[in-house]
Amino acid sequence: MFKRIVGIDLGTANVLVYVKGKGVVLNEPAVVALAANDSKIVAVGAAARDMTGRTPGHINVVRPLKDGVIADYLITEAMLRHFISKVCGRWRMVKPEVMICVPAGVTSVELRAVKEAAEQAGAKKPVHLIPEPLAAAIGARLPLASPGGNLVVDIGGGTTEAAVISMYGLVVSRSVRVAGNRIDEAIAAFVKRKFGLIIGERTAEAIKIEIGSVLPLEEERKMEVRGRDQVSGL
């Protein structure tokens, strides 16, 4: 019988789904739009992200994951169910075998929450978990079988993972819950303080991607952005 093997990178900002033999088949934001009165799901992924900042009062747009771990179990389960159904089909005969990336510094309670959410969403038991730095090292084709150390730094949306890997195991690791989302917040705060302009998280992320740089640049980059004036409200 045909067995489908699925890998899921359950990130704070984005969810990536890999299917063996096909590669990465899905890359969507980890965002869910809910009806405010009964918490019924209105949209998931890219459709929900496009609603951010544009929704009426009866719809809430939420991120069910925070700092790399589940903040809302039921919404995460519904989001996983949607993505698994989108990739494997709603009417599947066999449950897919699933492996999910988790932060290296995750607690046992948080691990159990990820496993249970995936199983309830339609994954075959048991759900396999892999530390994010190890998954990143395998993807980068580092020589992990050798006894030498390989340093990996994985910067995500909610967490930054640093680990030394040897013989396919984590020798030492550190997980810091400061990453891409905090950078977006810092950019939005700077624009508000410097220019008196209130911008959303999508605009802040666009600034980071378009003109952000880790190293000093010879020539300053510029970008025009739109927002709401904090004094006039226009």
Side-chain angles (χ1 to χ4, degrees):
M1 188 177 287
F2 175 72
K3 183 170 74 171
R4 181 159 295 196
I5 299 173
V6 177
I8 300 176
D9 181 6
L10 193 62
T12 306
N14 297 287
V15 176
L16 280 79
V17 179
Y18 169 93
V19 176
K20 187 176 180 181
K22 294 184 178 180
V24 177
V25 296
L26 186 142
N27 182 0
E28 292 202 29
V31 183
V32 179
L34 302 167
N37 55 349
D38 57 1
S39 296
K40 185 178 179 181
I41 292 177
V42 177
V44 179
R49 182 195 58 189
D50 291 342
M51 296 180 182
T52 304
R54 302 182 178 90
T55 56
H58 66 275
I59 295 177
N60 297 324
V61 178
V62 299
R63 290 185 179 272
L65 291 111
K66 186 177 181 181
D67 298 333
V69 295
I70 293 175
D72 191 305
Y73 176 86
L74 292 176
I75 298 176
T76 301
E77 179 193 319
M79 182 178 71
L80 278 172
R81 189 186 303 278
H82 172 83
F83 289 142
I84 290 173
S85 297
K86 194 171 183 178
V87 170
C88 301
R90 188 181 296 274
W91 309 109
R92 52 187 180 276
M93 296 294 291
V94 182
K95 289 184 176 182
E97 194 167 334
V98 174
M99 175 175 280
I100 300 179
C101 294
V102 293
V106 74
T107 65
S108 58
V109 175
E110 291 164 343
L111 283 175
R112 190 166 66 248
V114 173
K115 274 190 172 184
E116 290 177 357
E119 288 168 0
Q120 291 298 320
K124 181 182 177 182
K125 296 182 180 181
V127 172
H128 307 285
L129 303 179
I130 181 172
E132 288 175 357
L134 182 57
I138 293 170
R141 301 181 185 275
L142 295 177
L144 303 181
S146 66
N150 298 275
L151 176 63
V152 175
V153 180
D154 179 12
I155 304 174
T159 59
T160 298
E161 308 275 328
V164 175
I165 301 171
S166 178
M167 305 294 290
Y168 287 104
L170 270 62
V171 179
V172 63
S173 65
R174 177 67 63 87
S175 179
V176 182
R177 299 192 175 185
V178 177
N181 290 351
R182 290 284 186 91
I183 297 172
D184 297 343
E185 290 170 9
I187 290 171
F190 173 80
V191 172
K192 183 179 179 180
R193 185 175 65 251
K194 179 81 173 177
F195 302 105
L197 193 70
I198 299 171
I199 60 173
E201 60 181 47
R202 290 186 65 186
T203 303
E205 185 182 30
I207 294 170
K208 177 181 69 179
I209 295 169
E210 186 72 23
I211 62 174
S213 176
V214 175
L215 301 174
L217 299 170
E218 291 183 5
E219 186 177 339
E220 280 192 353
R221 294 177 181 173
K222 294 183 179 180
M223 178 178 173
E224 185 177 298
V225 298
R226 296 176 182 177
R228 182 162 55 90
D229 186 274
Q230 65 175 340
V231 178
S232 66
L234 296 176

